[in-house]
């Protein structure tokens, strides 16, 4: 459905471009240029698909889940998933990397406890974007500091202040859901199931250590994930005794366990598992290419000023973020477009406020749009339905709490 909607939107944009006097050939060239700019994202997605399959095939996920399952109490399982993903995302600064590592592990554990994947997926994505928003290693935090000409660590201090209440509320919500009845995770039973499928030992954790360690050292995510895949291949050959042909098949189509019980917990991954999200990225990239080439969105700043006078500044930025996220379909584009269109609302000495307003709106709202790369990619990576974004409480509690605190829900407020 999302792909169909995006295709219809692309046709409308092409029609609008032709009506504005642009030739169809030029519009197609702009669309292709947009896709070319997304090549790096497409490569990362392909690597993520292969990585998640190999972590399944070499026993990494099985070992971590078997070791950690007994530590997850039913009543705090969902909030623990949220906190663990917060920790990893803060250490690595990447939502994609967190989803592909701790996110996949969390979903496996949640699945064994019978947790609805919408709820567990929402908790994972909430945790992924905790660090994506305020980690000093986060590319979005660095981008916001750059475009607003502010100090990154000053911004982080401001973000932690505005996140305190939403973070606590998120923990309370997930804690309350956990009290509503979640099955006990039987660590011994899980270990027995995985023992039939894998030869497990401490070496299995090495691919995860490589990704997390190199990410903390600011090594490019493509390089760290590729090294993790190489390590996983070696473990597959040495310990799981898989052939080259079988490894290649797993990389393409994903891992399929022989035991039906293990299959329910660990099947998935592979390059082909990312085909839908790859199509979404390609199609949404054509949007940004056409908008950039035609300048269709220029001249909107006066409308932004008018709306701000009626709604208040921050609510205007939030509404602008919703529009730019829906149109740009990408977190970076949403940040850039919101900053460009909304900067007229701030005085020169208000750069710090402009930075935290961007962090509390565009950075998070872009992940709540089902067809945006920011939300669709982590959801696809962890194998959760895209509507799990509705359960990602942390992402929308931050702007809501800001609006309530500043009373920007009432007209006439300028802060």
């Amino acid at each position: 459905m999302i792909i169909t909607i995006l295709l219809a939107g692309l046709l409308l944009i092409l029609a609008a471009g032709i009506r504005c006097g642009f030739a169809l050939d030029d519009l197609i060239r702009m669309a292709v240029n947009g896709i070319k700019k997304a090549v790096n994202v497409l490569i990362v997605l392909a690597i993520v698909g292969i990585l998640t399959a190999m972590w399944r095939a070499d026993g990494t996920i099985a070992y971590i889940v078997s070791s950690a399952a007994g530590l997850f109490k039913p009543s705090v399982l969902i909030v623990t998933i949220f906190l663990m993903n917060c920790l990893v995302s803060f250490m690595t600064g990447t939502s994609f990397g967190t989803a592909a590592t701790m996110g996949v592990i969390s979903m496996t554990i949640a699945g064994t406890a019978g947790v609805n994947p919408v709820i567990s997926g929402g908790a994972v994505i909430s945790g992924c974007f905790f660090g994506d928003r305020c980690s000093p290693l986060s590319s979005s935090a660095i981008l916001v500091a750059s475009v607003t000409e502010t100090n990154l660590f000053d911004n982080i201090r401001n973000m932690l202040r505005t996140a305190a209440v939403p973070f606590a509320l998120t923990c309370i919500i997930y804690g309350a859901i956990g009290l509503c009845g979640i099955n006990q995770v039987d660590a011994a039973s899980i270990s027995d199931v995985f023992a039939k499928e894998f030869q497990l030992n401490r070496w299995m954790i090495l691919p995860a250590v490589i990704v997390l360690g190199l990410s903390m050292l600011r090594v490019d995510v493509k390089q760290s994930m590729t090294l993790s895949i190489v390590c996983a291949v070696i473990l597959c050959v040495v310990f799981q005794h898989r052939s080259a042909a079988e490894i290649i098949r797993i990389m393409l189509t994903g891992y399929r366990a022989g035991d039906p019980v293990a299959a329910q917990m660990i099947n998935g991954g592979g390059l082909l598992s990312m085909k839908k999200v790859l199509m979404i990225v390609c199609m949404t990239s054509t949007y940004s290419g056409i908008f950039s080439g035609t300048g269709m969105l220029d001249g909107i700043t006066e409308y932004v000023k008018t709306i701000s006078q009626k709604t208040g500044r921050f609510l205007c930025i939030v509404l602008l973020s919703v529009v730019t996220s829906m149109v740009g379909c990408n977190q970076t584009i949403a940040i850039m477009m919101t900053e460009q269109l909304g900067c007229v609302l701030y005085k020169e000495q208000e750069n710090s406020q402009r930075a935290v307003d961007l962090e509390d709106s565009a950075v998070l709202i872009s992940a709540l749009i089902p067809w945006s790369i920011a939300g669709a990619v982590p959801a696809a990576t962890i194998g959760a339905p895209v509507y799990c974004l509705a359960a990602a409480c942390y992402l929308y509690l931050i702007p809501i709490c800001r609006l309530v605190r500043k009373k920007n829900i009432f007209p006439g407020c300028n802060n």
Side-chain angles (χ1 to χ4, degrees):
M1 184 179 293
I2 291 175
I3 293 173
T4 302
I5 293 171
L6 289 174
L7 180 58
L10 178 59
L11 294 175
L12 290 174
I13 292 170
L14 289 172
I18 292 172
R19 187 173 181 180
C20 290
F22 292 92
L24 179 60
D25 289 349
D26 291 335
L27 292 172
I28 292 175
R29 192 177 301 109
M30 295 173 193
V32 172
N33 287 336
I35 295 175
K36 288 180 179 178
K37 292 179 180 179
V39 167
N40 187 57
V41 175
L42 295 172
I43 293 173
V44 170
L45 293 179
I47 294 174
V48 165
I50 296 171
L51 177 75
T52 56
M54 293 310 300
W55 276 29
R56 288 170 163 89
D58 72 343
T60 295
I61 292 176
Y63 177 79
I64 295 174
V65 170
S66 298
S67 302
L71 303 176
F72 287 77
K73 304 302 180 184
S75 59
V76 294
L77 176 59
I78 299 174
V79 72
T80 301
I81 287 173
F82 168 61
L83 293 174
M84 292 299 294
N85 283 274
C86 284
L87 177 62
V88 173
S89 65
F90 188 81
M91 290 191 302
T92 62
T94 166
S95 57
F96 287 10
T98 303
T101 53
M102 181 53 69
V104 174
I105 292 166
S106 299
M107 291 297 288
T108 305
I109 294 174
T112 64
V115 179
N116 188 315
V118 173
I119 300 299
S120 54
V124 168
I125 291 177
S126 288
C128 288
F129 279 88
F130 174 85
D132 186 271
R133 171 179 175 268
C134 67
S135 169
L137 305 180
S138 168
S139 58
S140 66
I142 293 170
L143 174 62
V144 169
S146 174
V147 298
T148 59
E149 298 180 348
T150 51
N151 181 275
L152 173 62
F153 292 97
D154 289 342
N155 292 345
I156 290 173
R157 282 192 289 271
N158 291 332
M159 283 186 273
L160 291 175
R161 282 197 291 268
T162 60
V165 173
F167 181 85
L169 289 174
T170 301
C171 291
I172 291 170
I173 291 170
Y174 289 146
I177 294 173
L179 294 174
C180 295
I182 293 176
N183 300 328
Q184 173 69 50
V185 180
D186 189 344
S189 176
I190 291 174
S191 297
D192 291 341
V193 170
F194 286 146
K196 298 176 184 178
E197 191 75 20
F198 304 98
Q199 179 182 339
L200 299 180
N201 57 56
R202 293 180 181 178
W203 286 106
M204 305 297 106
I205 203 173
L206 189 56
V209 171
I210 289 174
V211 170
L212 297 179
L214 293 181
S215 295
M216 293 175 66
L217 294 174
R218 302 298 301 274
V219 175
D220 181 75
V221 67
K222 295 192 297 295
Q223 296 178 16
S224 62
M225 288 186 176
T226 300
L227 286 173
S228 181
I229 290 171
V230 171
C231 179
V233 168
I234 295 172
L235 294 177
C236 274
V237 174
V238 174
F239 293 105
Q240 312 306 339
H241 309 296
R242 305 192 190 282
S243 66
E246 185 180 7
I247 290 172
I248 292 172
R249 179 191 61 77
I250 290 171
M251 287 181 175
L252 291 175
T253 63
Y255 180 72
R256 299 292 180 268
D259 182 83
V261 178
Q264 293 179 358
M265 293 188 283
I266 206 165
N267 276 7
L271 182 60
L272 294 181
S273 70
M274 305 300 289
K275 61 181 182 297
K276 288 185 180 179
V277 75
L278 288 169
M279 291 174 64
I280 291 173
V281 171
C282 286
M283 295 188 69
T284 55
S285 297
T286 63
Y287 283 36
S288 61
I290 294 173
F291 288 139
S292 176
T294 60
M296 285 184 182
L297 302 181
D298 294 346
I300 302 179
T301 53
E302 290 303 318
Y303 292 103
V304 172
K305 289 181 181 179
T306 302
I307 294 172
S308 176
Q309 292 171 356
K310 296 179 179 180
T311 64
R313 188 169 64 187
F314 182 65
L315 180 53
C316 179
I317 293 296
V318 169
L319 296 174
L320 191 59
S321 298
V322 172
V323 174
T324 57
S325 297
M326 294 177 69
V327 171
C329 310
N330 178 288
Q331 186 189 64
T332 301
I333 294 173
I335 292 170
M336 297 296 291
M337 290 176 63
T338 303
E339 196 280 330
Q340 290 170 3
L341 297 174
C343 64
V344 294
L345 305 179
Y346 299 85
K347 299 176 183 178
E348 185 176 345
Q349 62 269 29
E350 293 182 307
N351 283 352
S352 293
Q353 186 62 52
R354 181 157 54 110
V356 76
D357 286 354
L358 280 174
E359 293 284 4
D360 291 350
S361 56
V363 171
L364 300 174
I365 290 172
S366 60
L368 290 170
I369 306 301
W371 56 85
S372 171
I373 295 170
V377 170
T381 300
I382 63 177
V386 73
Y387 45 88
C388 74
L389 298 173
C393 308
Y394 181 74
L395 273 64
Y396 50 80
L397 280 175
I398 285 183
I400 288 175
C401 288
R402 279 285 308 277
L403 290 170
V404 171
R405 183 170 62 86
K406 290 291 187 181
K407 298 182 180 179
N408 282 350
I409 50 177
F410 300 109
C413 180
N414 294 318
N415 292 319

